[in-house]
Amino acid sequence: ASRRVRVLVRKRPFFAYEDERGDLDVVSVHEGRRAVVVHNCCMYPDLRGMYVRHAEFGACEAFGAAATTAEVCERGVGAELRNVAAGGCSTIFMYGQTGSGKTFTMAGIEAAAAAMLLPRDGGGGGDGAAAGHLSYFEIAGTKLVDLLAAGKNQELSLKQDKDGKVQAVGARQLPVSDGPELLRALASAKSRRATQATGANSVSSRSHAVCRLTLPAAPGKRRPAALVLVDCAGSERKEDSAHHSAERRREGAEINQSLHALKECMRTWTMVEEGRVGVHVPYRSSPLTRVLKESFTRRDTLMAVVGTLSPASQDTEHSICTLKTITAIAASGGSMRETK
């Protein structure tokens, strides 16, 4: 994998209700050798015999069900948070199936960022100046909605300024003075985020949430430090929303299309980092990748992709798809190994 992109995998616990309905825990995490194995139960074409296909994936860090969020923040994204503290730009993505623990893990990362990057109490500058500025919006299809605005559904438009930077025109820049104020603002913004019931989760996120915390430029740095947290909408199959309306199905298709555009941007970005000539990052492919243009163009950017997994056998297909996607993002698809 690229030195500036790290792929992390976290398995959520196996819940009691999954055991009661007859599911099996089909995900094994080997933290020592940084590997995750999905045990896929299959049938032969004659439908008489059965076998298990073990799909093993490598990662920069792998966290089992017993790992705490504090461990994920320190071993997993600690380097990215310290990069921001030093004046750089870091972008952290949460990717995975609906109900696999994306939002839960992201909440822990937000708390760690607030503790590391902002004062505990009071203004950051000591003279009433804000310690940082927060913007937070969601991307649902091609529509951008400001989650910090007082009124609901305040739509934003994307424009490119004279310096080539993509701006969400009209997005509120909320000054924050300390960590607790940041967390309160995030909690308020999340309450406005679009959710719908799906076959996998009664409150599935139906949009990508993009949180950007900007801090004053560090000594010797031209640009402000920036932390970008992207909580991606849950990836789904058609079967997970088979009873939804045409609008919900179209919404799911738009989510999967934007996730594919993000994967392509990240894949080509790693090729650029490897020094390949003539490679262009296609960030114009979707609104999500357009708002992340700065992350793809800054030389001091670090990225982390956190994939969350459900261990239930019912979600085997999703777990394998998530692992294939995040390893493809890091251009490390060759790390997959299957045994039968």
Side-chain angles (χ1 to χ4, degrees):
S2 168
R3 290 187 297 271
R4 293 170 64 193
V5 181
R6 302 177 68 246
V7 175
L8 319 169
V9 182
R10 186 184 193 185
K11 169 189 172 182
R12 71 155 170 81
F14 187 68
F15 297 140
Y17 75 86
E18 293 170 327
D19 186 31
E20 292 170 359
R21 74 185 181 194
D23 268 352
L24 303 174
D25 185 340
V26 297
V27 177
S28 300
V29 177
H30 304 277
E31 297 192 11
R33 55 190 177 94
R34 299 175 182 176
V36 180
V37 184
V38 180
H39 313 284
N40 188 13
C41 303
C42 307
M43 294 197 74
Y44 286 105
D46 61 7
L47 301 183
R48 293 184 178 182
M50 300 187 70
Y51 65 97
V52 178
R53 178 183 289 121
H54 307 281
E56 180 176 331
F57 297 81
C60 296
E61 292 288 349
F63 300 92
T68 65
T69 301
E71 290 180 75
V72 175
C73 293
E74 176 54 35
R75 281 172 39 212
V77 299
E80 285 71 26
L81 296 181
R82 289 189 289 272
N83 180 53
V84 177
C89 173
S90 291
T91 303
I92 301 172
F93 300 92
M94 295 299 308
Y95 183 87
Q97 171 199 357
T98 296
S100 62
K102 295 191 318 297
T103 304
F104 176 81
T105 302
M106 181 63 88
I109 294 173
E110 290 166 352
M116 180 182 293
L117 303 176
L118 295 174
R120 290 181 179 272
D121 301 294
D127 55 358
H133 288 81
L134 174 70
S135 62
Y136 200 157
F137 50 88
E138 68 175 346
I139 303 174
T142 58
K143 184 172 69 174
L144 274 73
V145 177
D146 192 348
L147 296 178
L148 293 176
K152 288 188 175 182
N153 299 324
Q154 180 175 328
E155 292 193 27
L156 309 171
S157 59
L158 288 177
K159 302 292 183 182
Q160 187 166 307
D161 61 21
K162 61 181 181 180
D163 298 323
K165 185 177 180 181
V166 177
Q167 303 278 7
V169 178
R172 185 181 180 190
Q173 297 288 328
L174 180 69
V176 289
S177 58
D178 54 36
E181 183 178 3
L182 172 66
L183 296 180
R184 288 194 296 271
L186 291 176
S188 176
K190 289 178 182 179
S191 67
R192 304 185 182 99
R193 192 173 174 193
T195 60
Q196 292 289 339
T198 70
N201 192 342
S202 61
V203 286
S204 172
S205 299
R206 309 312 299 145
S207 64
H208 306 298
V210 180
C211 167
R212 182 181 179 87
L213 176 65
T214 305
L215 304 175
K221 294 276 188 176
R222 290 190 306 108
R223 296 182 177 183
L227 174 65
V228 183
L229 303 176
V230 184
D231 187 0
C232 297
S235 61
E236 294 186 344
R237 303 165 297 181
K238 289 190 299 182
E239 291 83 352
D240 295 321
S241 53
H243 303 292
H244 285 183
S245 64
E247 181 182 357
R248 292 281 83 80
R249 291 194 293 271
R250 177 181 55 80
E251 187 180 75
E254 290 175 343
I255 289 171
N256 290 334
Q257 182 181 11
S258 64
L259 289 173
H260 175 73
L262 174 61
K263 182 182 75 172
E264 288 302 301
C265 282
M266 292 287 287
R267 186 179 63 85
T268 53
W269 187 73
T270 59
M271 295 168 63
V272 172
E273 294 308 306
E274 291 169 357
R276 301 195 190 183
V277 179
V279 178
H280 171 70
V281 180
Y283 64 85
R284 293 185 179 89
S285 301
S286 74
L288 174 60
T289 52
R290 286 187 67 195
V291 301
L292 298 174
K293 179 189 175 184
E294 185 178 7
S295 297
F296 292 122
T297 55
R298 284 183 63 156
R299 297 297 302 172
D300 58 356
T301 295
L302 293 182
M303 293 192 185
V305 184
V306 184
T308 53
L309 302 180
S310 163
S313 51
Q314 177 174 293
D315 300 321
T316 301
E317 181 183 339
H318 275 305
S319 298
I320 293 176
C321 180
T322 294
L323 289 166
K324 284 182 177 179
T325 299
I326 62 177
T327 52
I329 286 173
S332 60
S335 64
M336 176 185 173
R337 182 170 64 91
E338 283 192 344
T339 55
K340 183 176 175 182

